[in-house]
Amino acid sequence: MRPRFVGRLGHADLVTVTNSATGFVAVVAATIDPTLAARVVLVGAILDALDGIVARWRGSTRFGPHLDSLADVASFGVAPAFIVFTLGRSTAGSMGPIERAVWIAVPAIFVATAVVRLALYTVLDAGDDTTEGVQTTLAATLVSAAILVVVGPTTVLVGTGLLAVGMLAPVTYPDLRVRDAFLMGAVQALAIAFPTLANRVFPTALLAWAIGYLVLSPRLYRRDEGKRS
């Protein structure tokens, strides 16, 4: 007897499922080293872009959009939120109860807004050239790049809270052009492979690129094709 998924999932779906597993790996890695976990999240971001490329090349299935959102909850919702929580846990001994509650509440809100945003994307925006709210992949990339650049924990926490709000903000973001998605993937790969090279040049470049897209793309970026969820 064959498992139910045999013959139902496509090549792109398998990439998506692999992406979901990186979310768990990132959570485990966060208990050891937050910077290692941030690199794993960026691996998931590359896989997220790759599943779109594979879907265009080999075709997609009706399960694809649902699998994509489920995987993104793990990789770009739970994983970055837990990494941020571990940053606060490292200094928990010097915190009061209110500070500890904030370090739990902000990551929890980040997960909740990511889940809502992904549900809205799947139903309303999938297949469109634009989407409302900050993409979960972009939010996770910003958090991960900030950690690799060694931005202060409090700044990362504040940024995480702002991104949680941004994921549900009525701001329209254009999908990346395929060329630009490849370029971003290359910078992500370099940040993963060489996070400390030349005074952290690649994570810094990734953080600057992601902030630029976050702030400027709703008004200035024009696209022709691509996908980013």
Side-chain angles (χ1 to χ4, degrees):
M1 180 181 295
R2 299 192 307 172
R4 290 185 67 193
F5 66 84
V6 174
R8 294 171 181 259
L9 301 185
H11 292 82
D13 299 332
L14 297 178
V15 177
T16 301
V17 171
T18 303
N19 172 30
S20 70
T22 65
F24 172 75
V25 174
V27 168
V28 175
T31 65
I32 303 168
D33 179 5
T35 59
L36 174 61
R39 293 162 72 187
V40 176
V41 169
L42 293 179
V43 171
I46 292 174
L47 290 171
D48 184 59
L50 182 61
D51 71 11
I53 295 171
V54 173
R56 285 190 290 271
W57 175 41
R58 299 299 299 267
S60 59
T61 69
R62 63 192 179 98
F63 304 105
H66 303 285
L67 283 174
D68 192 52
S69 289
L70 289 170
D72 288 357
V73 168
S75 296
F76 310 131
V78 175
F82 186 77
I83 297 169
V84 172
F85 168 73
T86 62
L87 294 178
R89 190 175 60 177
S90 64
T91 58
S94 60
M95 292 182 186
I98 294 178
E99 289 177 287
R100 291 194 188 97
V102 170
W103 276 96
I104 295 171
V106 172
I109 292 170
F110 183 90
V111 173
T113 56
V115 169
V116 174
R117 189 221 131 47
L118 287 164
L120 292 172
Y121 174 83
T122 302
V123 175
L124 301 177
D125 297 339
D128 293 345
D129 294 339
T130 60
T131 184
E132 280 199 10
V134 175
Q135 301 94 322
T136 54
T137 313
L138 176 62
T141 295
L142 282 161
V143 171
S144 299
I147 291 170
L148 291 177
V149 174
V150 195
V151 173
T154 300
T155 303
V156 173
L157 180 69
V158 172
T160 301
L162 293 174
L163 288 168
V165 174
M167 282 191 280
L168 300 183
V171 179
T172 299
Y173 282 86
D175 291 347
L176 285 176
R177 301 184 186 97
V178 171
R179 176 195 64 202
D180 296 337
F182 272 114
L183 178 61
M184 182 178 184
V187 177
Q188 288 170 327
L190 289 169
I192 294 165
F194 309 105
T196 61
L197 182 68
N199 199 26
R200 305 180 187 276
V201 62
F202 295 124
T204 301
L206 178 60
L207 182 61
W209 189 98
I211 291 174
Y213 179 81
L214 174 74
V215 175
L216 301 177
S217 67
R219 290 186 175 274
L220 301 180
Y221 187 83
R222 295 293 179 268
R223 51 93 57 208
D224 49 15
E225 58 181 345
K227 169 184 175 290
R228 177 69 55 185
S229 64

